[in-house]
Amino acid sequence: GQNIDQPTEMTATEGAIVQINCTYQTSGFNGLFWYQQHAGEAPTFLSYNVLDGLEEKGRFSSFLSRSKGYSYLLLKELQMKDSASYLCAVTDSNYQLIWGAGTKLIIKP
Amino acid sequence: NAGVTQTPKFRVLKTGQSMTLLCAQDMNHEYMYWYRQDPGMGLRLIHYSVGEGTTAKGEVPDGYNVSRLKKQNFLLGLESAAPSQTSVYFCASRQGQGEVNEQFFGPGTRLTVL
């Protein structure tokens, strides 16, 4: 079966760094997405990785290891507005997105 | 550009009633999707469309029907609503065939079935 695992909830302090992990087992792989979803709102695109390595985009970075079926999202200089759920999703061999349940990130002052 | 829009934003139904959710996109995207999102679970694909006039079943299609008569619109129908269909419904669209590119989401419809 297809499976994506990520922690249910994480807590971090404003100004700190947090790493949200995602592991996956899917039928085929055509890339991994990270989305941000604030409470009561729609998911919005953060990053896309298809090759191994780190992609940096401002305060956010995303890493992929295809051999390990593993990715992480790194958020630096945390701000209160970063409080949200972070969704990991993998594109399978049929180009369908398989979604994780999301990680709720709580930022404390 | 409005992006992806959904109507209605909220709806309360009684068991057995029917309704149609409308999704519209103005980005000329080929692919459109309907998802449901329930607490503690990932987004689950109900139905999708790879182009005007085409539809296909996703992971959880039972109890739902869809139509894509125009490229910009994707309708989701519930013929006889059940309490298990209480959920938040998101429509999404993306461009490209065989390419991988991000999906753009509508604001969601919060449906309660009593």
Side-chain angles (χ1 to χ4, degrees), chain A residues 30-31 33 35 37 40-45 48 87 91 95-97 99-102, chain B residues 33 35 37 40-43 45 48 90 94 98-103 105-107 110:
Chain A
N30 282 300
F33 289 87
Y35 279 76
Q37 185 177 24
E41 298 183 8
T44 55
F45 169 76
Y48 171 67
L87 313 180
T91 306
Y95 293 95
Q96 297 294 358
L97 271 181
W99 294 84
Chain B
Y33 305 84
Y35 292 97
Q37 188 175 40
M41 303 183 73
L43 287 160
L45 183 64
Y48 65 100
F90 286 104
R94 75 172 178 91
E99 304 169 14
V100 181
N101 34 59
E102 74 264 29
Q103 294 184 10
F105 284 81
R110 284 145 187 80

Side-chain angles (χ1 to χ4, degrees), chain A residues 11-86:
Chain A
T11 302
T13 304
E14 189 176 16
I17 299 173
V18 71
Q19 177 175 311
I20 302 174
N21 296 326
C22 171
T23 57
Y24 62 89
Q25 288 180 310
T26 56
S27 56
F29 178 84
N30 282 300
L32 185 145
F33 289 87
W34 284 97
Y35 279 76
Q36 181 188 59
Q37 185 177 24
H38 285 101
E41 298 183 8
T44 55
F45 169 76
L46 283 178
S47 68
Y48 171 67
N49 295 68
V50 66
L51 301 175
D52 289 352
L54 188 68
E55 295 278 345
E56 297 185 79
K57 194 184 291 186
R59 294 189 298 114
F60 292 8
S61 303
S62 56
F63 172 83
L64 175 67
S65 169
R66 288 173 298 172
S67 62
K68 295 182 178 178
Y70 168 70
S71 173
Y72 67 73
L73 181 69
L74 191 71
L75 291 74
K76 303 177 183 176
E77 301 170 11
L78 286 170
Q79 301 175 11
M80 297 304 293
K81 68 178 182 179
D82 297 329
S83 292
S85 289
Y86 292 85

Side-chain angles (χ1 to χ4, degrees), chain B residues 46-61:
Chain B
I46 304 171
H47 285 281
Y48 65 100
S49 168
V50 300
E52 181 179 317
T54 73
T55 63
K57 294 180 179 180
E59 179 187 357
V60 289

Side-chain angles (χ1 to χ4, degrees), chain A residues 37 43 87 99-101, chain B residues 6 21 33-47 58-64 76 78 81-92 105 108-113:
Chain A
Q37 185 177 24
L87 313 180
W99 294 84
Chain B
Q6 292 182 232
L21 283 67
Y33 305 84
W34 275 107
Y35 292 97
R36 60 178 289 172
Q37 188 175 40
D38 301 294
M41 303 183 73
L43 287 160
R44 292 185 291 168
L45 183 64
I46 304 171
H47 285 281
E59 179 187 357
V60 289
D62 294 343
Y64 307 94
L76 178 71
L78 286 73
S84 61
Q85 294 178 304
T86 294
S87 188
V88 180
Y89 292 85
F90 286 104
C91 175
F105 284 81
T109 295
R110 284 145 187 80
L111 176 66
T112 301
V113 182

